[in-house]
Amino acid sequence: MGKRYYCDFCDRSFADTGVNRKNHFKGVQHQRLKKQHYDAFRDPASILAEESTKIPCTRFQTGSCDFGDSCKFSHMTPERLHHLQELVSKQRQKSEKDINFNKDLKEPTLEEWLEKRSKRLRKTENNEEETEELHYELPPFLNISNLPPSLLPPSAEELRNTAKCEWG
Ligand SMILES: [Zn+2]
Ligand SMILES: [Zn+2]
């Protein structure tokens, strides 16, 4: 069996010769599927812009056009056009929202950052006593009854006594 060419867009393969490839890439079916594939990644605004520069396809409007999506004239139906326009305006609203959202997320000024920092430091100072009240529980699903002692988790009592150890 010779080499075969597999076309991703069409999900089919054929004997890999120059002629076969050329014919396949020229094929209406292939061009349609390829366009469909890439249109899925394009934003509606640019599709709309492109379509609005095209002359409506009379063949398509009065019946059927063999060129399909690869036709150089526009195959937009009023419904599809409407749908695209809706998508575009929705997108525009969304990007405006994103801009506003990013405004809220803007970097803090140095003063704001310093204030936050001192608050944080004050908090940790005040919390130091509270860490003495170390308390924890093992999750109930953890069955430790048959673990060797060295693998048993330390008790809260033991942790409290070692918590102050300093590293380094
Ligand atoms: Zn193909
Ligand atoms: Zn056409």
Side-chain angles (χ1 to χ4, degrees):
M1 205 170 109
K3 241 178 96 187
R4 295 190 62 82
Y5 181 85
Y6 172 75
C7 179
D8 257 337
F9 303 111
C10 309
D11 187 25
R12 56 172 290 223
S13 61
F14 46 85
D16 190 11
T17 67
V19 179
N20 276 359
R21 278 203 202 193
K22 221 168 156 188
N23 284 338
H24 179 81
F25 295 150
K26 268 198 293 189
V28 171
Q29 169 94 354
H30 172 80
Q31 293 195 5
R32 187 168 58 81
L33 287 169
K34 189 175 165 187
K35 189 167 185 301
Q36 249 173 36
H37 175 77
Y38 286 115
D39 275 356
F41 294 103
R42 284 171 72 200
D43 62 314
S46 58
I47 299 178
L48 201 62
E50 190 195 297
E51 289 297 327
S52 60
T53 65
K54 291 186 193 168
I55 301 163
C57 176
T58 43
R59 254 180 308 209
F60 180 75
Q61 284 175 336
T62 55
S64 71
C65 170
D66 289 339
F67 290 107
D69 282 347
S70 56
C71 181
K72 63 175 176 170
F73 301 110
S74 177
H75 280 194
M76 279 277 143
T77 58
E79 294 85 56
R80 216 179 138 204
L81 202 66
H82 182 70
H83 178 66
L84 271 180
Q85 276 161 348
E86 258 180 7
L87 279 180
V88 172
S89 65
K90 239 183 245 166
Q91 232 174 27
R92 219 166 269 156
Q93 281 166 13
K94 191 184 171 295
S95 62
E96 271 162 29
K97 227 187 259 167
D98 283 352
I99 291 170
N100 290 335
F101 182 65
N102 287 336
K103 262 190 220 144
D104 294 341
L105 280 182
K106 70 172 166 32
E107 297 233 330
T109 64
L110 182 62
E111 286 76 28
E112 283 167 344
W113 185 83
L114 282 173
E115 197 191 327
K116 254 192 189 162
R117 182 173 174 270
S118 62
K119 256 189 212 158
R120 200 166 54 221
L121 286 178
R122 243 176 281 140
K123 232 188 217 163
T124 38
E125 267 169 32
N126 295 341
N127 279 358
E128 224 164 39
E129 317 296 74
E130 286 167 38
T131 51
E132 299 281 324
E133 297 298 308
L134 195 59
H135 177 76
Y136 79 97
E137 264 170 44
L138 287 173
F141 58 84
L142 210 63
N143 184 2
I144 56 163
S145 57
N146 46 16
L147 277 180
S150 62
L151 291 185
L152 285 174
S155 68
E157 179 77 27
E158 282 169 314
L159 268 186
R160 210 173 291 134
N161 294 334
T162 55
K164 277 187 188 150
C165 129
E166 270 182 31
W167 295 91

